[in-house]
Amino acid sequence: MKPLFREIIVNQLLRNKQRESGQTASLSNYTIAKSARLFRLSILSQLKDLIYIVIGIFSAAFGLKSFLLPSHFIDGGATGISLLAATIFKLPLYMLIVMVNIPFIILGLNVISKQFAIKASLAIIGLAFVLATVHFPQITNDKLLVAVFGGFFLGAGIGLSVRGGGVLDGTEVLAIFLSRKFGATIGDIITLINIIIFSAAAYLLSVETALYSMLTYLAASKTLDFIIVGVEEYTGVTIVSIHSEKIREMIIDTLGRGVTVYRGKRGFGKHGHTHETDIVYTVITRLEINKINTEIAKIDPNAFVVMNSVKDTKGGMIKKRALQH
């Protein structure tokens, strides 16, 4: 979209909004420019989400039709229920994908948001459409390859869809709802659901098929985690030390990372005496854990260091400065 055309659209939208609210003041150039920037960011964000979902749909459809469906293997969750029903009742998978996920979408409308429900509906309908209209060849008959790569492409498709703000499998929506209602963790609920699905597969199909299907589920879940979390794994490091200023300088100058400094208190001893101190926080990659521990030990061997896993980061200096090493 050309900048001039975009500004004309934004200007007209703002004037329409003004008329609806009864305002008569003229719009400043700053207001128009700011709104144009927000409009551009919104369009780019929606376009990126659409690309993620479309690629996810084709990846999942490829995994289903080229690997899992011909070998009668299943996955966990709503997709596994659909595959199991398609195998037993000889019904089209594209129809079952929609039917099984309808309750989850309705639940997502109430539990999460209207926007999520719309994106999930479009993603699932898109998957059903691709399954019904696009031909994917069967790649292999080797059961191990089918289980691993079928799970890989299916997990990648679900993960890309999630990054686009939608879902291709609505089981997690049910897990979120039940976790809020009964206090159990989402992981425990998903595990319980999948135990029921794979037990049904062992009884209705065969134990061997159920075991291969469990391998499919593991491959899919690991790929999904990889897609959602990202390629790099980060670690958040919190450091409490009387030499916090030297540690801050070391992180910036030696590691090339950004830092956040909190003002807090440190306490120790039987009487719980506290002293004010600066608390340093930074985010590093897992390859830098040994280096930061070594550098901290040089400055203050008695520093209190807490590390925790960080799934993903955005903004800041974490990626840009890492290129210097």
Side-chain angles (χ1 to χ4, degrees):
M1 185 180 293
K2 295 182 178 179
L4 180 60
F5 185 55
R6 183 175 66 240
E7 289 179 7
I8 292 172
I9 293 176
V10 172
N11 196 4
Q12 188 60 44
L13 289 173
L14 288 174
R15 294 189 184 282
N16 291 339
K17 189 174 181 181
Q18 263 193 333
R19 282 196 294 268
E20 291 175 359
S21 60
Q23 298 177 358
T24 57
S26 60
L27 297 171
S28 66
N29 291 332
Y30 172 77
T31 301
I32 296 174
K34 181 180 178 181
S35 299
R37 178 178 176 275
L38 294 176
F39 178 76
R40 178 176 62 84
L41 290 175
S42 177
I43 293 297
L44 290 176
S45 176
Q46 295 296 330
L47 181 60
K48 183 180 71 173
D49 290 348
L50 178 63
I51 292 172
Y52 274 135
I53 291 174
V54 170
I55 296 175
I57 286 171
F58 277 91
S59 177
F62 178 66
L64 289 169
K65 293 195 72 174
S66 293
F67 293 94
L68 301 182
L69 195 58
S71 299
H72 305 298
F73 287 178
I74 67 170
D75 184 33
T79 306
I81 297 172
S82 302
L83 286 165
L84 185 60
T87 302
I88 295 171
F89 301 111
K90 307 301 180 184
L91 294 174
L93 180 60
Y94 66 86
M95 183 176 68
L96 291 168
I97 286 283
V98 175
M99 290 175 59
V100 171
N101 278 290
I102 286 176
F104 300 124
I105 293 173
I106 296 173
L107 190 61
L109 179 63
N110 298 318
V111 174
I112 302 178
S113 68
K114 181 179 178 180
Q115 183 181 15
F116 168 81
I118 292 172
K119 283 189 174 182
S121 301
L122 293 176
I124 291 168
I125 292 172
L127 176 60
F129 178 78
V130 172
L131 288 172
T133 58
V134 179
H135 172 70
F136 294 96
Q138 183 176 354
I139 302 300
T140 180
N141 291 317
D142 185 282
K143 293 181 178 181
L144 182 60
L145 293 177
V146 168
V148 173
F149 284 95
F152 170 79
F153 284 107
L154 180 58
I158 295 173
L160 289 168
S161 178
V162 170
R163 289 194 68 105
V167 292
L168 297 178
D169 189 307
T171 314
E172 288 200 15
V173 178
L174 176 62
I176 292 171
F177 172 75
L178 293 177
S179 68
R180 293 178 182 178
K181 193 173 183 65
F182 299 108
T185 65
I186 295 174
D188 289 342
I189 294 171
I190 291 176
T191 300
L192 179 61
I193 293 171
N194 288 327
I195 288 173
I196 296 172
I197 293 172
F198 291 128
S199 298
Y203 178 76
L204 297 172
L205 300 178
S206 68
V207 175
E208 182 186 44
T209 300
L211 292 174
Y212 275 113
S213 297
M214 291 174 68
L215 184 59
T216 298
Y217 171 73
L218 291 174
S221 61
K222 289 299 181 182
T223 306
L224 188 151
D225 290 341
F226 179 80
I227 294 293
I228 294 177
V229 172
V231 177
E232 296 179 272
E233 293 185 14
Y234 300 106
T235 300
V237 185
T238 303
I239 308 157
V240 182
S241 169
I242 57 175
H243 301 290
S244 57
E245 180 61 24
K246 291 182 179 180
I247 291 175
R248 183 190 67 83
E249 292 174 355
M250 176 272 294
I251 293 172
I252 294 173
D253 298 334
T254 305
L255 294 181
R257 298 298 187 191
V259 296
T260 300
V261 180
Y262 301 98
R263 191 63 179 169
K265 291 184 178 181
R266 60 196 300 261
F268 54 88
K270 294 181 180 180
H271 302 289
H273 295 300
T274 59
H275 304 276
E276 288 193 354
T277 186
D278 287 336
I279 301 171
V280 179
Y281 179 80
T282 187
V283 177
I284 60 174
T285 63
R286 59 180 178 175
L287 299 178
E288 295 169 308
I289 292 176
N290 183 61
K291 184 172 180 60
I292 196 171
N293 282 332
T294 302
E295 296 297 328
I296 291 173
K298 291 178 183 178
I299 299 171
D300 182 7
N302 298 318
F304 179 62
V305 182
V306 178
M307 297 188 182
N308 59 284
S309 177
V310 177
K311 288 188 175 182
D312 205 352
T313 63
K314 183 178 181 181
M317 305 297 291
I318 184 71
K319 292 184 180 180
K320 185 183 296 184
R321 294 294 293 273
L323 297 176
Q324 297 177 3
H325 297 284

